[in-house]
Amino acid sequence: MTSLFVGVAMMNTATVPVTTVSTLIVADSAGARLSGFANAAGVLGSAIGALGLGAVTARRGGSFALTVVYSSAVAGAVAAFAGAAGAGLAALLVGLVLIGVGNGGAQVSRYLAADMYPEDRKASALSIIVWAGTVGALTGPNLVAPAGRLAEAMRLPALSGTVFAAVVLVIVALTITRVLPPSGEPPRVNRPSALSLSRVRALVRLPAVATALCAMLGAHLSMVTVMTMTPLQLHDQHHGLNVVGMVLSAHMIGMFALAPLSGRLSDLWGGRWTVSAGVVLLVAAALIVGIAPTGHTTTLPAGLFLLGYGWNLVFVGSSSMLSGQLDPVERSEVQGGVDAIVFTASIVASLAAGALFAGGGFAAVAVAGGLMALVPIPWLLAYRQSRSKPERHPELAADRRG
């Protein structure tokens, strides 16, 4: 658990500031219109990393899989530093994709923690790894200024200093991961080398998978849509970076700091009720920021905090469903696949949020965020906290025998 926690904390601490400064580097070099490519590159890498970690874990075990994705992040951080130091945007963007691979793998590693605990403690275990994101959210942005001064002292561009700090951090993540025991080894069963289409269809029809996927998608799209446009809303109201930082800090605290509480609630209530509570908070957040979008000291910080914690409840509750109610043969691949879908969808949400803001203002963004939070309601109403396993479904059993 300590190794997993430190690895995730280091990856988060590296990813948060690198994405921020890379957006500025791209804007300075290619114009503000293309600045979103930095974030898109990182998210694309995260989707690849999530999918890759699940697939490699199913075949070689969790510790080996983490070594692969963190090694990719080390290579990516070196490439991104070269790009930030003057090698060009191509090197920077390729590096961001590879850093994203490490970050996506780090997020999925919460399931490795859950696998080490009994059924009634899985949600609490994975929530501790989610809580590691607090380290990155609070520490990462504070690295930008001192790292910039160090880079200038070395006669390098100031923004490249943050990327150099990321090189060090991802090396620490890789090093600490190497002390992990060979846990999470795949079951020794006769299974196909990859999920076939029929098995994918059967797995998606399982209540736990369908509900968790729809809940994560709805929560993530809701959060990304509102969060992405909040800085622009504050800028249009002529607020400075200190106000933007305060409001986003409230949001990041909601996203990560209370994760252990979410885990405990999920263990006590079950994933369905935890997700339902998160949906309520997401809708409440959208209502607050939509009704009073100019309250930079009251309604916006409160709304963004609720937005973050609503996402956290859904994220932890959905993850607990996928940890406890899937056959170990399919579990790791399905978990990684769900995260990959969610990461990929967030790219679309980021682009759509800009169009909504331009066409209807922040109120339109808030309405869209509230509606997307409601996506999992039909699945939550139909879902029962069953303990059915994939092997009880004939489609999966027949496909595995084949």
Side-chain angles (χ1 to χ4, degrees), residues 206-383:
L206 295 179
V209 178
T211 305
L213 174 59
C214 292
M216 282 194 189
L217 272 175
H220 209 74
L221 294 177
S222 176
M223 182 196 69
V224 169
T225 299
V226 177
M227 180 191 68
T228 301
M229 290 298 106
T230 298
L232 191 54
Q233 165 69 8
L234 291 168
H235 177 73
D236 285 355
Q237 297 295 318
H238 308 292
H239 296 297
L241 292 177
N242 59 327
V243 175
V244 175
M246 177 193 70
V247 173
L248 292 184
S249 292
H251 175 66
M252 299 298 281
I253 290 170
M255 280 185 69
F256 297 113
L258 299 179
L261 174 61
S262 301
R264 184 58 182 154
L265 292 176
S266 189
D267 282 334
L268 291 173
W269 297 351
R272 177 194 181 198
W273 291 108
T274 306
V275 169
S276 300
V279 170
V280 170
L281 290 188
L282 288 168
V283 174
L287 287 173
I288 290 171
V289 301
I291 293 171
T294 60
H296 69 280
T297 60
T298 53
T299 51
L300 277 181
L304 267 291
F305 172 81
L306 291 178
L307 185 74
Y309 190 51
W311 172 86
N312 184 276
L313 284 167
V314 174
F315 190 69
V316 172
S318 300
S319 298
S320 71
M321 291 181 183
L322 295 178
S323 292
Q325 300 188 49
L326 286 175
D327 188 286
V329 173
E330 281 84 18
R331 182 184 299 160
S332 59
E333 288 178 290
V334 172
Q335 290 165 342
V338 167
D339 273 22
I341 293 171
V342 171
F343 282 131
T344 303
S346 67
I347 300 176
V348 179
S350 298
L351 299 175
L356 279 171
F357 187 84
F362 200 59
V365 172
V367 170
L371 290 175
M372 283 185 282
L374 297 174
V375 165
I377 292 296
W379 285 268
L380 289 169
L381 292 175
Y383 180 75

Side-chain angles (χ1 to χ4, degrees), residues 116-127:
M116 296 189 291
Y117 286 80
E119 193 72 27
D120 61 347
R121 295 177 62 195
K122 287 184 179 296
S124 293
L126 67 86
S127 71

